Amino acid sequence: GAIVFIVKGEGGHGGTDTAALNTTVVSSSTTALIANFDFESYLVGAQPEGSNGGTETRMYNDGDFSPPTGVTVSDLAISVADANTNQNKIEQNNSSGIAASGTVPVGSSSDKTYRADFDTSGPVTASFEVTLAAGYSLSNSVVSFGHNSNRTGTYKITVDGVVITDTTAFSNQDTWVQPESSSTIAGPLSGTFAVSIELSNTESDGTIYFDDFQLNGELTVTQEEQAP
């Protein structure tokens, strides 16, 4: 709608002058993929910022994905509890069979994933930050991911310091299936906020493959337009 400001001042001849300044607030929204980490831009066996199979936090960028205008996404940080010379790295394990459903996007078009040592002593944690430019906000967002694990476990998703989905169980499965996803985050979110997931093993030491860590939502930009 229009916001009208009335400015009054004493006229030069004893009268009163009135000036109106019209400012219209214009908003537009679109459903968009905000962040996407699918590891397809890395060579098999790649271990950025970490030794072979170690427990160092590893940083991965989002490859060829470009966030929408007004959105900046940090690199993805992955940490694990246990070292393993054959794990904690990029590996081929086809996740392209992950189906799409609602706001949960389709799986990778190729077949690279992050393979981690899935230890009972601590979770596999992945996190990134999103920064929205001034005038931008995110509503009705969903965090989703694909996985393949030879052990049962749980996942916890946190957005902007708030636990959105807590200790949700997933099964022992040797094939990629429908992505898991968070509850809908009403928002609106603005400024800079963090998105993280913790994957915890509830059975015994094993392996987990992690892929297609994504954030979707309704991106709104609000601008003020001044009438001439």
Side-chain angles (χ1 to χ4, degrees):
I3 303 174
V4 179
F5 298 91
I6 305 298
V7 181
K8 292 185 177 181
E10 294 301 321
H13 300 285
T16 300
D17 294 332
T18 301
L21 176 63
N22 294 303
T23 301
T24 302
V25 178
V26 179
S27 296
S28 60
S29 300
T30 183
T31 300
L33 179 58
I34 304 300
N36 176 43
F37 294 93
D38 65 7
F39 309 112
E40 301 305 334
S41 62
Y42 289 93
L43 296 174
V44 172
Q47 300 162 334
E49 296 192 10
S51 62
N52 185 32
T55 58
E56 300 91 340
T57 296
R58 304 172 193 282
M59 307 299 293
Y60 295 88
N61 62 42
D62 52 8
D64 298 328
F65 175 73
S66 296
T69 299
V71 178
T72 302
V73 180
S74 74
D75 287 347
L76 178 69
I78 297 181
S79 61
V80 297
D82 190 42
N84 186 305
T85 56
N86 294 317
Q87 302 188 68
N88 308 335
K89 61 185 178 182
I90 303 298
E91 189 161 296
Q92 286 186 327
N93 191 308
N94 194 356
S95 62
S96 59
I98 297 175
S101 175
T103 58
V104 181
V106 73
S108 296
S109 59
S110 188
D111 60 359
K112 293 174 186 174
T113 71
Y114 186 81
R115 177 183 178 179
D117 184 5
F118 201 31
D119 194 77
T120 56
S121 64
V124 175
T125 302
S127 62
F128 61 90
E129 286 191 344
V130 175
T131 298
L132 302 179
Y136 285 79
S137 62
L138 184 67
S139 303
N140 301 319
S141 51
V142 172
V143 178
S144 62
F145 68 100
H147 79 284
N148 174 343
S149 172
N150 63 0
R151 297 290 185 269
T152 58
T154 61
Y155 67 91
K156 179 172 73 174
I157 294 174
T158 303
V159 178
D160 199 24
V162 178
V163 176
I164 305 301
T165 301
D166 191 12
T167 60
T168 301
F170 61 81
S171 61
N172 171 341
Q173 52 200 31
D174 288 328
T175 57
W176 289 91
V177 296
Q178 182 69 27
E180 308 283 3
S181 62
S182 71
S183 302
T184 299
I185 306 146
L189 299 168
S190 60
T192 298
F193 57 90
V195 176
S196 68
I197 185 170
E198 292 183 5
L199 302 159
S200 297
N201 186 329
T202 58
E203 189 178 354
S204 59
D205 192 24
T207 300
I208 189 168
Y209 296 87
F210 176 72
D211 203 0
D212 300 303
F213 191 27
Q214 299 173 330
L215 173 66
N216 288 266
E218 185 178 306
L219 186 63
T220 299
V221 56
T222 301
Q223 298 174 317
E224 290 187 355
E225 294 182 358
Q226 184 175 320

